[in-house]
Amino acid sequence: MDKKNSAGSHSIPGDQPRLEETLDPDDWSGLRALSHQTVDDAVDYLRDVRIRPVWQSMPADVKALFEQPLPRSASPVEGIYHALVENLLPYPLGNVHPRFWAWFMGASNFTGALGDFLAAVQGSNLGGGNHAAALMDQQVVNWCKEMIGFPVSASGTLVSGGSMANLIGLNVARNIKAGIDVREHGVAAMTRPLRFYGSEQIHSCHRKAMEALGMGNRALRRIPTDAELRIDLTALRAAIAEDRAAGFQPACVIATAGTVNTGAIDDLTALADLATEERLWLHVDGCIGALIAIAPENAYRVAGIERADSIALDPHKWLHAPFEVGCALVRDAAAHRGAFAVTPEYLKATPRGMAAAPWLFDYGLQNSRGFRALKVWMALKEHGVEKFGRLIDQNIAQGHYLTDLIEAEPRLELVVPTNINIVCFRYRPKGVEEDALKALNLEIMLRLQEAGIAALSDTTVHGVHCLRVAICNHRTRREDLDLLVQEIVQLGHQILSTSRGATGP
Ligand SMILES: *Cc1c(COP(=O)(O)O)cnc(C)c1O
């Protein structure tokens, strides 16, 4: 074996010293040129996003790139970059496009992308420590508190997204309400099993959280909703009473501020009152709607959110931060730290130097943490929070604009009254049977995707299948919504006439 290349071998006297390697380039100027090219291409990519398809399917030769085996040896980075320009960049899911309205995602922004780049260049680990990035991380958490009207004394942490932010909040709730030291003894030691409550419109991440927290899916009771898909307070009270009588420990109500299906916002003030009366923890899943608090025309919709015990919000949605960044806030900072800290309080950081600061990993599940704050910080500094608030108002106004277009078009039917920026509707021309509508609307949705015109998703609300447009996008214009309605009507007509032609007598 060649000694020089065998791992773990050391040079012994008399041998040639082992050649030391690094990942840095020999030629920084070549890397500089490629970096400039990358930035130029990236600017063009975003500038021209509107003229590209929202989405397109990948040909076989593109997919083949992602089946190549583990590279064993080096290849020039220029070639790698060009392969990505050809095979990766043209095939996104599409959420940076002005006509992407599927599920609920932010549309990213270039300044945020620069933030991610600089964060990676500095290479900071936000597990904690006495450095500038750690101060910025805490500053962004403080800004999140301020945006939703939480007290400065509250605590918080940046996490990967809304699912993790919800998990953090529910974890604290479980520990506080367990009645025992659940960290030490586990859920099995509880004499009265905990019960959590949310509406039947609750996001699926809460089920995962209940499972991960050892309480199980059934410990999360789904409460029916009213006509506007908000949690039914009478049914909630009845469920709590029933559980108490049956020997369970009602512990936490999860309010949704903006459901993913329809954008329904539970009555947060009423739920805060109910939680106080019933001595329950109030967690607000504000992944969609918490940030409506910064939108002047619509902030009233989330009044009461500041009364929560914990809140999950999602800067990679309505602040358009590049993925990933979510934020968990907890009113009682000691309860938050108490749920996760593994550094005893007495183990003070050093009086000076790199460790003279709190450990940020004491507020969540991660040890090493990415520098997520920078992309949020830069975009907030650049535009100011007021602009983000106006953009949220703009998206909600666009949701209502689309609703008006749908109501003015006899072949379209609104399925749920629009609350915020999520519009649920279907193509329903006269003479088409109810049974045939789902397949017809799915076909329209798929053709819109495949033609790269618009990205929609679909859902079922109170038993009715529908198309769903969620406008969380700072690039969308009203003309894009005009086009959507035209295209849907045209595609629907086309699908019906070819199928009638094929099956007709
Ligand atoms: C998006 C969303 C989540 C999950 O957030 P991620 O950032 O995707 O993990 C949770 N709840 C609601 C209401 C959401 O819209």
Side-chain angles (χ1 to χ4, degrees), residues 48-121:
D48 299 340
V49 61
R50 179 171 279 283
I51 59 180
R52 284 199 309 274
V54 178
W55 177 86
Q56 54 183 334
S57 71
M58 291 169 278
D61 60 324
V62 166
K63 289 184 180 163
L65 178 71
F66 308 108
E67 284 159 11
Q68 288 175 0
L70 175 68
R72 296 268 159 197
S73 52
S75 50
V77 67
E78 289 78 8
I80 296 167
Y81 174 67
H82 289 297
L84 297 179
V85 167
E86 302 269 294
N87 298 295
L88 183 94
L89 292 178
Y91 303 101
L93 189 60
N95 55 296
V96 302
H97 193 284
R99 288 190 300 278
F100 183 96
W101 307 302
W103 307 295
F104 202 104
M105 301 186 197
S108 201
N109 72 93
F110 198 81
T111 303
L114 286 178
D116 257 356
F117 173 72
L118 290 174
V121 169

Side-chain angles (χ1 to χ4, degrees), residues 104-105 160-166 201-206 256-261 285-289 312-314 316-317 323-326 422 468:
F104 202 104
M105 301 186 197
S160 56
S163 303
M164 284 305 290
N166 280 312
Q201 294 291 315
I202 202 165
H203 192 274
S204 56
C205 72
H206 295 282
T256 304
T259 60
V260 72
N261 249 351
D285 179 349
C287 289
I288 287 178
L313 60 118
D314 231 355
H316 64 205
K317 288 180 176 168
F323 291 109
E324 312 163 330
V325 55
I422 301 179
R468 176 180 165 283

Side-chain angles (χ1 to χ4, degrees), residues 177 192 195 197 233-245 248-253 270-282 307 309:
K177 295 295 177 182
R192 296 173 69 205
R195 279 287 182 267
Y197 306 85
L233 294 162
T234 311
L236 173 59
R237 282 185 196 281
I240 293 168
E242 184 183 272
D243 283 344
R244 278 201 211 286
F248 292 108
Q249 167 80 54
C252 172
V253 55
L271 287 173
D273 290 342
L274 183 147
T276 310
E277 271 166 47
E278 299 277 359
R279 299 178 313 281
L280 301 186
W281 184 276
L282 176 63
R307 291 175 61 192
D309 292 299

